[in-house]
């Protein structure tokens, strides 16, 4: 398979795929973006398609996965910004000058340095936006191990920085 596959087999279904994308996003511009991302993935992973099987079904599955992942990422980002906002309130309420803010940062860095490296590295990569499978590939360990490390890092950070949560109460 090659560019001809995409031109002759995939792009002829662009109108149908755009309708699918519109059903997901309910927004014309977002639907076009979703279609574009889908076509990029189709081009990248065309070798995984089995000739003679349901092409539209395969592409639809890719599109659905991209959409669901984007929704999950958006929800994670919203939670992150909500937590950052509440954390900022804690810092602003408890630290009235830059000197006190630097103590808070120092505490966070000190706690992060105290965690085992395997936990914090996975946590930081996840925090930076890497997916579980990408982190697992980087460390050459199973995806479940990465999920456990990230969960453990999060719980250790919450426990060791619990005094900042208590300030807001």
């Amino acid at each position: 398979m090659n560019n001809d596959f995409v031109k002759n087999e995939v792009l002829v279904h662009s109108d149908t795929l755009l309708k699918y994308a519109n059903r997901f996003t309910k927004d014309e511009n977002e639907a076009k973006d979703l279609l574009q991302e889908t076509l990029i993935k189709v081009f990248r992973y065309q070798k995984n398609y089995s000739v003679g099987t349901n092409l539209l079904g395969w592409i639809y599955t890719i599109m659905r996965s991209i959409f669901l992942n984007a929704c999950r990422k958006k929800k994670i980002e919203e939670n992150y910004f909500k937590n950052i906002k509440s954390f900022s309130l804690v810092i602003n309420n408890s630290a009235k000058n830059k000197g006190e803010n630097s103590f808070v940062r120092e505490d966070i860095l000190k706690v992060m340095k105290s965690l085992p490296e395997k936990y914090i590295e996975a946590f930081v990569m996840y925090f930076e936006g890497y997916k579980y499978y990408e982190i697992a590939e980087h460390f050459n360990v199973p995806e479940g191990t990465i999920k456990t490390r990230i969960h453990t890092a999060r719980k250790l950070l919450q426990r060791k920085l619990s005094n900042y949560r208590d300030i807001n109460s």
Side-chain angles (χ1 to χ4, degrees):
M1 287 187 237
N2 53 27
N3 291 342
D4 291 336
F5 167 75
V6 174
K7 263 194 254 178
N8 299 332
E9 301 292 327
V10 177
L11 293 180
V12 297
H13 299 294
S14 291
D15 292 339
T16 304
L17 293 171
L18 188 58
K19 287 177 186 175
Y20 288 148
N22 272 312
R23 284 189 212 151
F24 284 126
T25 64
K26 311 285 190 258
D27 179 87
E28 189 175 334
N29 290 327
E30 287 182 24
K32 289 177 182 176
D33 289 343
L34 178 58
L35 177 59
Q36 182 179 8
E37 286 183 58
T38 302
L39 293 175
I40 290 169
K41 289 253 184 180
V42 166
F43 183 74
R44 183 180 298 149
Y45 296 107
Q46 62 183 307
K47 65 181 177 288
N48 295 345
Y49 173 69
S50 300
V51 178
T53 60
N54 183 356
L55 177 64
L56 271 178
W58 180 69
I59 297 171
Y60 177 82
T61 302
I62 292 171
M63 182 180 286
R64 182 176 169 271
S65 295
I66 291 170
F67 178 74
L68 292 175
N69 287 338
C71 289
R72 287 184 195 113
K73 185 176 181 180
K74 185 176 180 181
K75 185 175 181 180
I76 289 168
E77 287 173 354
E78 287 171 356
N79 287 338
Y80 168 75
F81 287 118
K82 187 174 102 180
N83 290 338
I84 289 296
K85 191 174 184 180
S86 65
F87 186 69
S88 296
L89 289 174
V90 170
I91 291 173
N92 290 336
N93 290 337
S94 64
K96 299 298 181 196
N97 64 44
K98 291 183 180 179
E100 290 174 346
N101 283 340
S102 69
F103 285 123
V104 172
R105 268 193 304 279
E106 286 176 23
D107 286 349
I108 292 170
L109 290 174
K110 186 167 50 172
V111 169
M112 287 181 76
K113 287 180 182 177
S114 74
L115 297 180
E117 193 172 314
K118 66 182 180 180
Y119 296 129
I120 204 64
E121 284 179 345
F123 177 80
V124 168
M125 285 182 75
Y126 181 76
F127 186 76
E128 290 174 345
Y130 289 94
K131 295 187 177 9
Y132 290 124
Y133 75 91
E134 293 171 325
I135 302 168
E137 287 174 2
H138 176 76
F139 290 109
N140 199 26
V141 296
E143 192 173 320
T145 302
I146 293 302
K147 290 178 181 179
T148 301
R149 288 179 183 177
I150 292 168
H151 175 77
T152 303
R154 186 179 295 126
K155 289 300 177 188
L156 289 169
L157 286 168
Q158 286 174 348
R159 188 175 60 218
K160 291 184 177 194
L161 295 169
S162 64
N163 56 332
Y164 291 106
R165 186 177 330 138
D166 296 338
I167 291 171
N168 200 23
S169 301

